[in-house]
Amino acid sequence: MTSSISLNIKNLQEAVTESHIDNLKPMITAAHNTLHNRCGAGNEFLGWLDLPTNYDKAELERVKVAAKRIQENSKVLIVIGIGGSYLGARAVIEAMTGPFFNSMDEDKRKVPAVYFAGNNISSTYLSQLIQLIDGKDFAINVISKSGTTTEPAIAFRIFKEIIEKKYGKEEAKKRIFITTDKAKGALKKLADTERYETFIIPDDIGGRFSVLTPVGLLPIAVAGINIDELLQGARNGRENFSNEDVHRNICYKYAAVRHLLYERGKTTEILVNYEPCLQYFGEWFKQLYGESQGKDGKGIFPASVNFSTDLHSMGQYIQDGMRNIFETIINVEEPQINLSIKEDEENVDGLNFLVGKTIDFVNKRAMEGTALAHVEGGVPNIVINMKALNPKALGELIYFFEKSCAIGGYLLGINPFDQEGVEAYKKNMFALLGKPGYEELQRSLTERLGD
């Protein structure tokens, strides 16, 4: 099947060659077999692997119906969640609609604005969001496996009170949508008691792999994005990236190249975009790789930048700083919208030599020139080309990164699907807040803080 994306590794030069990749083939094959035979660490969380073909079709239809209902009765959807419960949805929505989506006039946008809460503990952020939606009809989508994660739980408590006061408890129930565990947890219990419409977070899919489940699909559908095409793109990826031969599978080749660069001391990967709408895709990428591969003292540090913007800030460090960096560039070959540069008689800015050229032409030359400069400065470059930015291509790109991340984790010899390190801050926070059951830890932390 023709792929919407391609991989270009020519700017790795001598850092990684085809012969280096050949030498890694046995490890790639072993990782492939471990993943597909479901016999490796974390194998109970491989539901995402076949999700593009094995999803619950009846639930998908319910997602579409709920999205339509929200579109008809609300001007705003508040999505409450943190980490994988919101990053994937936000990444897709911003990639498809652009950074100004929520600011557009309602008659031009034609669907609700989508705002996110519960991803921080800032009272200022919550207060400003509450002010923003004042007087507007709104709905809430709460996404949490347990319902007790501090950040979203606080946000839901606040917005639940507001929505019930605005509409009354019975009407509010029709505007609250819960995405949670199918059988257990505080949020599931509340949803059953209050009879909120509920969607399932599959047991075998971790949060950072959940964007193509109702976790991401409901907010994405509310924003007017075609979720059938998104899933079709993921199905294409599942087929295109199924071959165990690293030379015929660009997903595996990307995993192999990352691993080889890591072995050569390149311990930081910067995901680069030249389209501002992909900023939150970079945030999703950072969680996917950071939580999956950063453990046991191993792993590449994932970062992201927006070029050419960050060339005027981070560019100096990338060009001349520590040589532990490599870059992965997402190149969108055809922009969603293009503009041409017109002649100015006075030519004060000296840009008349560009008359008739498109802004995307200038952007592509900036990308090529920057890549050459960075490679000459000792920063290897990988390029992922996308023919166009649309739901189908984005679905394939999501699957590309998810599977490559899993293969890369097995190459490192770690479990790519757990995240025990995330729990450390939570325990300390609960203790310092005085949560029952954490008294001993609270005393220890208090002594360390000198209180």
Side-chain angles (χ1 to χ4, degrees):
M1 180 175 291
T2 302
S3 179
S4 298
I5 61 178
S6 61
L7 187 70
N8 185 332
I9 60 171
K10 68 179 183 180
N11 280 338
L12 296 180
Q13 297 182 337
E14 297 304 312
V16 173
T17 65
E18 292 295 330
S19 63
H20 293 138
I21 296 171
D22 277 336
N23 292 336
L24 200 63
K25 283 181 72 173
M27 289 180 64
I28 291 287
T29 299
H32 168 89
N33 291 334
T34 297
L35 185 66
H36 282 271
N37 293 333
R38 299 173 184 263
C39 58
N43 62 76
E44 67 272 28
F45 293 107
L46 294 180
W48 58 271
L49 189 61
D50 295 320
L51 176 68
T53 56
N54 288 350
Y55 61 89
D56 186 329
K57 295 172 180 59
E59 184 170 47
L60 181 67
E61 291 307 310
R62 285 203 305 115
V63 165
K64 294 177 186 177
V65 170
K68 183 68 173 175
R69 190 158 75 248
I70 294 169
Q71 289 172 342
E72 290 173 347
N73 69 15
S74 298
K75 299 297 184 184
V76 172
L77 172 66
I78 304 293
V79 180
I80 298 176
I82 195 168
S85 295
Y86 94 101
L87 277 172
R90 187 163 188 176
V92 173
I93 291 171
E94 292 208 7
M96 291 294 96
T97 65
F100 307 116
F101 172 73
N102 286 338
S103 301
M104 293 175 64
D105 291 339
E106 293 174 4
D107 59 337
K108 292 182 179 179
R109 191 175 60 236
K110 297 180 180 179
V111 293
V114 181
Y115 293 101
F116 296 87
N119 50 68
N120 59 63
I121 323 176
S122 168
S123 58
T124 301
Y125 180 97
L126 284 173
S127 298
Q128 291 173 342
L129 181 54
I130 291 167
Q131 291 173 11
L132 182 66
I133 68 169
D134 185 41
K136 295 182 174 70
D137 287 318
F138 73 100
I140 299 170
N141 178 205
V142 188
I143 307 166
S144 175
K145 189 76 170 173
S146 66
T148 57
T149 303
T150 306
E151 295 90 339
I154 289 173
F156 183 39
R157 178 176 288 204
I158 290 171
F159 281 102
K160 180 173 178 288
E161 179 183 3
I162 293 170
I163 203 169
E164 289 180 349
K165 184 177 180 180
K166 182 178 179 69
Y167 298 105
K169 192 164 185 177
E170 290 306 310
E171 177 62 24
K173 289 179 181 180
K174 302 174 185 177
R175 293 174 172 272
I176 296 174
F177 300 83
I178 305 296
T179 309
T180 191
D181 190 90
K182 66 180 179 181
K184 63 183 184 299
L187 192 55
K188 171 60 176 172
K189 182 178 180 180
L190 176 66
D192 289 346
T193 300
E194 299 291 345
R195 300 189 304 280
Y196 298 140
E197 181 158 8
T198 305
F199 300 95
I200 294 171
I201 302 175
D203 288 336
D204 58 355
I205 299 179
R208 57 191 177 275
F209 289 84
S210 68
V211 59
L212 300 176
T213 75
V215 168
L217 294 180
L218 179 57
I220 291 167
V222 170
I225 298 161
N226 191 318
I227 57 176
D228 288 320
E229 290 187 3
L230 189 70
L231 286 166
Q232 180 60 56
R235 281 194 292 278
N236 295 348
R238 179 178 177 272
E239 180 175 339
N240 289 333
F241 311 138
S242 61
N243 195 312
E244 69 180 64
D245 184 349
V246 68
H247 291 296
R248 298 173 61 191
N249 185 335
I250 63 170
C251 175
Y252 288 9
K253 181 169 280 192
Y254 174 62
V257 167
R258 291 180 83 252
H259 188 78
L260 290 165
L261 287 169
Y262 176 65
E263 288 185 329
R264 287 153 177 75
K266 301 298 185 181
T267 56
T268 296
E269 177 180 21
I270 302 176
L271 189 73
V272 178
N273 75 73
Y274 281 80
E275 293 290 344
C277 66
L278 289 173
Q279 177 175 343
Y280 263 87
F281 193 87
E283 297 300 313
W284 172 80
F285 162 87
K286 289 191 298 190
Q287 189 204 5
L288 177 68
Y289 279 85
E291 267 194 3
S292 297
Q293 296 186 5
K295 53 196 69 167
D296 298 343
K298 301 176 183 178
I300 295 168
F301 183 82
S304 63
V305 292
N306 308 305
F307 285 169
S308 63
T309 303
D310 287 333
L311 288 173
H312 297 261
S313 55
M314 294 295 291
Q316 173 62 43
Y317 188 94
I318 296 169
Q319 187 70 45
D320 289 337
M322 288 182 64
R323 299 298 78 188
N324 64 334
I325 296 170
F326 69 96
E327 292 175 308
T328 297
I329 300 166
I330 298 179
N331 172 38
V332 180
E333 294 177 355
E334 294 293 332
Q336 293 169 310
I337 303 171
N338 213 343
L339 296 171
S340 295
I341 299 170
K342 297 180 180 179
E343 185 173 8
D344 184 300
E345 288 185 5
E346 297 183 1
N347 195 28
V348 174
D349 52 21
L351 293 180
N352 274 355
F353 74 100
L354 294 173
V355 169
K357 299 290 194 300
T358 66
I359 292 177
D360 188 63
F361 173 84
V362 178
N363 200 27
K364 294 295 193 292
R365 300 298 83 76
M367 179 185 71
E368 292 165 357
T370 301
L372 290 172
H374 288 180
V375 170
E376 289 170 2
V379 179
N381 268 239
I382 303 165
V383 181
I384 298 171
N385 295 302
M386 299 181 70
K387 294 178 182 177
L389 192 52
N390 55 50
K392 195 174 291 186
L394 197 59
E396 187 171 4
L397 186 66
I398 287 168
Y399 194 86
F400 170 91
F401 277 119
E402 287 181 342
K403 193 171 190 186
S404 181
C405 181
I407 292 294
Y410 285 141
L411 291 177
L412 286 170
I414 52 93
N415 179 354
F417 307 110
D418 64 359
Q419 58 279 335
E420 293 182 3
V422 176
E423 301 303 315
Y425 94 90
K426 294 181 182 179
K427 293 176 183 177
N428 287 351
M429 179 176 67
F430 289 153
L432 293 170
L433 287 170
K435 185 174 182 177
Y438 289 81
E439 292 80 7
E440 184 174 345
L441 180 57
Q442 181 184 35
R443 286 191 292 272
S444 173
L445 293 176
T446 300
E447 290 177 4
R448 288 169 57 188
L449 290 170
D451 292 339

